Amino acid sequence: MAEGIKEIDIAGILSQFGVDSINKGASTGEHWFNTRGEKIESISPVDGRTISAVNSSTDADYEAVVLKAQEAFLLWRKWTAPARGEVVRQLATKLREYKNSLGILVSYEMGKSYQEGLGEVQEMIDICDFAVGLSRQLHGLTMHSERPGHRMYEQYHPLGVVGIISAFNFPVAVWNWNTALAWVCGDVCIWKPSEKTPITAIVCQKITQEVFSQNGVPEGVSSLVVGGADIGKLMANDKRIPLVSATGSTRMGKSVGSSVGARLGKSLLELGGNNAIIVTPSADLNIVLPGVVFGAVGTGGQRCTTTRRLIIHEDVYDNFVNAIVNAYKQLKVGNPLDEANHVGPLIDNDAVNLYLNALQKAKSEGGNVLVEGGVYEGDGYESGCYVKPAIVEAKNSFQIVQDETFAPILYIIKYSGDLQNAIAIQNDVPQGLSSAIMTSNLKDSEMFLSSAGSDCGIANVNIGTSGAEIGGAFGGEKETGGGRESGSDAWKIYMRRQTNTINYTDDLPLAQGIKFEL
């Protein structure tokens, strides 16, 4: 495993993106600030080495970025939507060119497997392609007026400056989910990435800058501010930012949502998940196994769509549990850039401690450990961030099961009776992001998707809870925040809606037949 790490030329990859040294934590595109804030070190969880250090943005840096974004919006909103879409199309082309290198960097800085790193860059490409088509379909509606000689219609206009707060687990894709749509809508974007993954953010800003400068895009359409919670609070309380899109924990989302709501701004929140797969008596084991295992251990269990609960009918419980336990024995944990490994490290030592505490709480509440957890030690595991995917038999009522732990811990729960019992268990958590059912019974699948079924924003049949594709709106209900991004009509949140009525007569009739004579 250690041999693979030594082959990574991070300095060479960074120089490929035009990043020779990293000490600047704010940019309005062409202009990079000599930021003087607290130094943030990006430490790879793969081997514990420092990739580079970034000076975080100060309040003054943030203020300069916002002012430049406001100026840019006045120009960018005048570009036609197809012209803005053409710029996004070129960005997709540039991302294709850099896909392998950026995928390596994502894997090395965040810890997900190289294949997942490539997949994240592909998500960026896909959302750009989606946005290009959307740039010619930003439609409104026409309505019939009750007043003769009048025409009514709706149209959408750019909203303004969009603030984006992203999480470490998808350090580049979620940013681009927002920006690709916001840009074609005519908005400008300010990005505060996770302080745990600042290097990929700086590289994305560099790539974007390369494309934008070639097309004469106003400086400030894409901006970056690296920093901690203080920068996020500035953004959430800033009346000049009409929309804040925040991805992260429910705790963080409540803070952002309350601050934005207090100033009557708009927020797009994509927060925690506590996702379940229901396994019915008619489920196909060949589908269940890969769906459950990838859902539970992909990205080291650090996806908001990670499968955290497995709800199995008592008639097939023993058979399916034994098969999943045996599958876990085949998992290989190690260097995520070695494609022979299935699972990479957690993001940092704090995440490891949360994982260990969660296992201890599960045991103390009466959980039965089927696959023991723990931390890997020895050669190749020097970062201390590699943990063993664990399986625990539990009850849905356990407090630790009700909480979201960002780690590869799978709770298995037995149900009896009909499907409604399983659905009740699935829905009985505070979060409502992703859900799935494994069944060969048409009635069960339709019940699961009905209004009496899953209460989540995503409900799948015979696929797992993770691996959402571009095109469908992504997001969830309850403490997941209610936001939607990346597909369908999610573009509408990035725009302001306007109803227009035109009178083309010589009279002025009032609505509802009201008479008003002078």
Side-chain angles (χ1 to χ4, degrees):
M1 181 177 66
E3 293 300 316
I5 295 172
K6 291 177 182 177
E7 295 172 2
I8 302 170
D9 180 13
I10 289 298
I13 290 175
L14 293 179
S15 65
Q16 180 183 351
F17 298 116
V19 179
D20 297 321
S21 63
I22 301 176
N23 57 10
K24 302 172 182 178
S27 167
T28 55
E30 297 177 9
H31 179 69
W32 287 80
F33 292 75
N34 290 313
T35 51
R36 303 182 186 278
E38 180 182 352
K39 184 162 288 189
I40 298 173
E41 285 191 335
S42 176
I43 300 174
S44 171
V46 175
D47 55 11
R49 298 178 184 176
T50 298
I51 301 173
S52 191
V54 180
N55 287 333
S56 60
S57 306
T58 64
D59 290 3
D61 298 326
Y62 171 81
E63 182 66 20
V65 166
V66 174
L67 291 176
K68 179 59 68 173
Q70 287 183 298
E71 292 175 10
F73 173 62
L74 300 180
L75 301 173
W76 183 239
R77 66 182 179 180
K78 295 179 181 178
W79 285 44
T80 66
R84 297 189 294 254
E86 169 57 19
V87 176
V88 173
R89 184 195 67 79
Q90 293 180 38
L91 177 58
T93 299
K94 187 62 65 175
L95 289 170
R96 288 180 171 92
E97 177 184 333
Y98 287 135
K99 180 177 177 179
N100 288 339
S101 296
L102 185 53
I104 290 172
L105 184 58
V106 167
S107 177
Y108 189 64
E109 186 174 33
M110 185 267 150
K112 64 176 57 176
S113 74
Y114 174 53
Q115 282 298 315
E116 290 184 78
L118 292 176
E120 184 166 352
V121 181
Q122 187 61 49
E123 280 194 67
M124 300 174 75
I125 295 168
D126 291 344
I127 191 62
C128 285
D129 288 348
F130 178 88
V132 173
L134 181 66
S135 68
R136 294 182 179 269
Q137 299 180 69
L138 299 174
H139 59 270
L141 297 172
T142 60
M143 293 80 72
H144 290 281
S145 173
E146 68 181 60
R147 290 169 283 187
H150 285 60
R151 180 166 67 88
M152 289 179 63
Y153 70 97
E154 289 181 345
Q155 61 178 332
Y156 288 83
H157 295 298
L159 194 60
V161 182
V162 175
I164 301 168
I165 301 172
S166 64
F168 73 86
N169 58 335
F170 280 84
V172 296
V174 172
W175 164 73
N176 211 190
W177 282 6
N178 285 275
T179 55
L181 300 188
W183 285 331
V184 298
C185 288
D187 297 321
V188 302
C189 299
I190 300 175
W191 180 21
K192 193 209 86 66
S194 169
E195 58 270 35
K196 297 181 181 182
T197 52
I199 309 304
T200 47
I202 289 173
V203 165
C204 285
Q205 179 72 347
K206 283 280 190 177
I207 295 172
T208 304
Q209 173 191 344
E210 182 179 350
V211 175
F212 280 19
S213 62
Q214 291 171 354
N215 286 271
V217 174
E219 183 180 348
V221 171
S222 176
S223 298
L224 175 72
V225 281
V226 175
D230 289 346
I231 295 294
K233 289 178 181 177
L234 286 175
M235 190 176 287
N237 287 288
D238 196 334
K239 293 181 179 180
R240 297 168 297 181
I241 300 180
L243 170 65
V244 176
S245 174
T247 302
S249 68
T250 296
R251 177 186 57 79
M252 180 276 291
K254 287 180 177 179
S255 175
V256 171
S258 61
S259 295
V260 175
R263 60 178 174 85
L264 299 182
K266 297 168 67 175
S267 58
L268 193 169
L269 302 177
E270 200 283 285
L271 311 174
N274 196 342
N275 318 293
I277 295 178
I278 295 173
V279 179
T280 70
S282 66
D284 183 343
L285 181 60
N286 293 324
I287 293 178
V288 171
L289 270 182
V292 170
V293 177
F294 175 74
V297 307
T299 321
Q302 298 171 114
R303 291 186 177 211
C304 52
T305 54
T306 291
T307 303
R308 310 209 178 277
R309 297 175 296 142
L310 185 60
I311 304 167
I312 308 176
H313 193 274
E314 60 182 359
D315 290 351
V316 294
Y317 186 84
D318 291 339
N319 182 41
F320 278 77
V321 169
N322 290 335
I324 292 166
V325 168
N326 287 330
Y328 265 55
K329 294 177 182 178
Q330 302 172 41
L331 291 174
K332 296 179 180 179
V333 179
N335 176 6
L337 288 161
D338 181 347
E339 295 190 62
N341 293 322
H342 301 99
V343 185
L346 297 185
I347 185 64
D348 55 23
N349 295 121
D350 289 340
V352 172
N353 290 331
L354 289 173
Y355 157 85
L356 293 173
N357 290 337
L359 284 176
Q360 185 58 43
K361 289 179 181 177
K363 294 176 185 178
S364 67
E365 290 191 70
N368 177 34
V369 178
L370 301 178
V371 175
E372 192 68 49
V375 182
Y376 285 95
E377 299 177 347
D379 183 39
Y381 301 111
E382 289 85 359
S383 70
C385 296
Y386 292 88
V387 303
K388 300 174 183 179
I391 299 178
V392 181
E393 280 185 309
K395 294 181 179 180
N396 201 66
S397 59
F398 288 0
Q399 183 57 55
I400 192 61
V401 176
Q402 292 283 309
D403 297 335
E404 178 190 39
T405 302
F406 240 43
I409 303 174
L410 177 65
Y411 300 110
I412 295 185
I413 301 163
K414 182 187 294 187
Y415 83 95
S416 59
D418 61 21
L419 180 61
Q420 284 294 343
N421 293 332
I423 292 173
I425 293 171
Q426 179 207 276
N427 293 346
D428 189 22
V429 290
Q431 311 84 357
L433 178 52
S434 187
S435 59
I437 187 172
M438 300 291 186
T439 184
S440 298
N441 186 306
L442 178 63
K443 291 182 179 179
D444 284 348
S445 65
E446 290 298 320
M447 174 60 73
F448 181 73
L449 300 177
S450 74
S451 60
S454 171
D455 66 358
C456 296
I458 299 170
N460 299 326
V461 176
N462 291 329
I463 62 172
T465 59
S466 64
E469 62 184 82
I470 298 301
F474 182 89
E477 302 302 321
K478 301 190 292 188
E479 289 193 356
T480 302
R484 293 297 186 275
E485 49 195 355
S486 102
S488 186
D489 64 349
W491 61 272
K492 291 181 178 179
I493 194 154
Y494 303 97
M495 305 195 83
R496 58 182 178 88
R497 186 173 182 170
Q498 185 180 82
T499 299
N500 306 116
T501 305
I502 300 169
N503 176 9
Y504 56 91
T505 73
D506 295 327
D507 299 318
L508 186 61
L510 301 178
Q512 294 85 47
I514 294 174
K515 300 296 183 181
F516 183 79
E517 297 180 359
L518 294 176

